[in-house]
Amino acid sequence: MTRSHVTTHVLDTAAGRPAAGVAASLWSLHDGGETRVGEGTTDGDGRIGSLGPAELEPGTYRIDFATGDYFAAAGTETFFPSVSLTFSLTDPAQHYHVPLLLSPFAYSTYRGS
């Protein structure tokens, strides 16, 4: 499997483990609207290594995470039924890793490597 230009890793900080089974989609945002360029579901380690294509053009992108479905499957109430992270891909030579640290009532993110 080839690693995509954008990858993610979701960690359930409340449970203290990777968040397996979180569906995510990658969108390209542009003047004409938005285009889905990839999708995936986190594996047992909470990672999606094939979220989109191997190469993307510079621009603005968004990852949408189906966090409500993840928590519902665990029988846990959540305040955030989804999380959307928008970021700028400026250097097509770099890999972009966008982790999500998640709990039922909070989340955070950062630019990973």
Side-chain angles (χ1 to χ4, degrees):
M1 172 175 51
T2 302
R3 182 169 77 164
S4 62
H5 203 156
V6 176
T7 57
T8 191
H9 188 193
V10 183
L11 298 171
D12 184 333
T13 57
R17 63 177 175 257
V22 178
S25 54
L26 176 64
W27 298 83
S28 171
L29 309 180
H30 42 80
D31 291 340
E34 56 190 28
T35 304
R36 186 169 55 194
V37 295
E39 60 186 0
T41 302
T42 56
D43 62 16
D45 194 34
R47 297 180 184 273
I48 304 176
S50 58
L51 185 56
E55 294 182 21
L56 291 168
E57 295 294 319
T60 303
Y61 293 86
R62 182 183 74 231
I63 303 175
D64 292 334
F65 296 90
T67 54
D69 294 342
Y70 166 75
F71 283 116
T76 302
E77 181 182 346
T78 183
F79 185 69
F80 299 105
S82 65
V83 172
S84 295
L85 304 178
T86 303
F87 60 97
S88 296
L89 191 151
T90 56
D91 182 353
Q94 292 187 20
H95 170 252
Y96 287 78
H97 186 63
V98 185
L100 176 64
L101 306 176
L102 181 64
S103 75
F105 300 101
Y107 66 88
S108 64
T109 189
Y110 58 94
R111 165 94 193 262
S113 58

